[in-house]
Amino acid sequence: MEVLGRLLGLLVLLFAGTGLRRVGILGPTRTRRLNDLAYYVALPALVFVSTYDRAIGDLLTPALVAGTLAVLFGTAGVAWLLHRNRVDRERRGVAIVQSYHSNLGYLGLPLIAATFSGDVTAVASVVLGVVSLTQVPLTIAVLTGINGAGASIGDELTELVRNPVLLTLVLGLTVGSIGVSVPGPLTVGLDALGSLALPLALLCVGASLQFELPDGDLGTSAAVVALKMAWMPALAWAVFSTLDVGAAAFTAAVVMLGMPTAVSTYVFANELGGDPEFASLNVFLTTLASVGTLFVLIQTVG
């Protein structure tokens, strides 16, 4: 019941963000400031306190990387097979990328930190890094390849490696591997900031969700939801069950890869020739479905 209550609270915060946007309280400027607070302060603080006392070799293992990439590319491959014959290429590319592109930073890591132990959160931080460095260029390649839109993957990768969350992950793993002592008051303060990551991120995601239905194609949206919220975590479970990983790594990988579609896919679709209304609908549907699927997933791995 505790997990269900937490997930229902997640849903409340999401709709609160949407409601605050609709009544004008969370306008573009305030939403951007709230997003900056989560992106540049709360999430980096959460990543650092999760990793600063752990050696990189204990977290970043070949099995974890191989399993994560197998699930990511395996889901992308199934999505391509399922949607490759769509005549409407603007929705074809969106349907493919939204079947595998997960919301790890604004939902996955904060939710795991609020639900599981520090060991699981530390591994989840590494999963965030591995997947982010892979799914972003993959998504850009898929959308530009299908839509013929102009985009520099090199520029996007440069922006990605400047991501404050990923930079903090490298810093935390470096500090943990070297064995540098971090003052207690600093970690306490960072832990308090990190605890704000989930509510801030949920308000930002909620303020970004749109409910307008595009013309038809609910069948394609249903396929996206099924792949993202059922197939991908099931594949993760199957893959990591065969690998030599500990309980913390298994839990972190399966739950992180069971997260809904990232809001950033809407941005990519809007910039790279995709259908933004269709993308927005899928983000909303997968996020809504995640309350039920994550409850089952967390209860099962727990």
Side-chain angles (χ1 to χ4, degrees):
M1 291 301 295
E2 181 182 355
V3 174
L4 181 59
R6 184 174 289 117
L7 290 171
L8 290 176
L10 173 154
L11 194 61
V12 169
L13 281 172
L14 282 172
F15 282 115
T18 303
L20 290 173
R21 186 200 72 229
R22 286 183 174 273
V23 299
I25 295 177
L26 275 183
T29 300
R30 289 177 179 172
T31 300
R32 184 172 62 253
R33 290 173 180 171
L34 197 66
N35 181 78
D36 288 345
L37 182 59
Y39 185 67
Y40 291 103
V41 180
L43 282 170
L46 174 58
V47 169
F48 184 80
V49 296
S50 301
T51 57
Y52 79 94
D53 57 349
R54 303 167 194 273
I56 186 172
D58 296 335
L59 300 177
L60 186 61
T61 64
L64 180 67
V65 174
T68 300
L69 295 181
V71 175
L72 178 63
F73 285 103
T75 303
V78 172
W80 179 81
L81 288 172
L82 185 63
H83 300 293
R84 71 187 187 281
N85 292 324
R86 281 193 54 87
V87 177
D88 186 350
R89 65 181 184 179
E90 289 80 8
R91 292 187 178 181
R92 185 199 318 160
V94 170
I96 292 172
V97 302
Q98 291 193 313
S99 298
Y100 67 78
H101 197 123
S102 304
N103 187 345
L104 303 183
Y106 273 38
L107 184 55
L109 183 62
L111 180 61
I112 281 184
T115 308
F116 296 101
S117 68
D119 291 339
V120 179
T121 306
V123 180
S125 298
V126 174
V127 173
L128 166 64
V130 172
V131 175
S132 296
L133 290 171
T134 308
Q135 69 180 7
V136 171
L138 178 60
T139 290
I140 295 170
V142 170
L143 290 176
T144 55
I146 291 177
N147 300 324
S152 171
I153 294 181
D155 291 343
E156 294 292 342
L157 286 176
T158 300
E159 183 176 345
L160 182 61
V161 298
R162 293 175 181 171
N163 184 311
V165 177
L166 296 182
L167 290 175
T168 307
L169 173 61
V170 173
L171 176 62
L173 292 174
T174 301
V175 170
S177 299
I178 297 174
V180 176
S181 177
V182 179
L186 177 60
T187 60
V188 171
L190 290 174
D191 189 52
L193 287 173
S195 66
L196 297 175
L198 184 58
L200 287 176
L202 289 174
L203 287 174
C204 291
V205 171
S208 303
L209 292 178
Q210 303 289 336
F211 295 88
E212 290 77 9
L213 292 176
D215 296 333
D217 233 1
L218 291 181
T220 304
S221 291
V224 171
V225 174
L227 281 176
K228 187 70 202 70
M229 303 314 305
W231 165 263
M232 195 167 186
L235 180 60
W237 190 292
V239 168
F240 281 95
S241 294
T242 66
L243 297 175
D244 184 19
V245 296
F250 178 88
T251 300
V254 172
V255 177
M256 286 287 275
L257 293 169
M259 290 296 148
T261 301
V263 178
S264 60
T265 58
Y266 164 79
V267 178
F268 285 125
N270 198 38
E271 294 178 350
L272 300 176
D275 185 330
E277 291 184 355
F278 180 64
S280 179
L281 173 66
N282 293 338
V283 171
F284 169 70
L285 291 177
T286 58
T287 303
L288 186 63
S290 71
V291 175
T293 60
L294 285 173
F295 172 72
V296 174
L297 199 59
I298 291 172
Q299 288 289 91
T300 305
V301 298

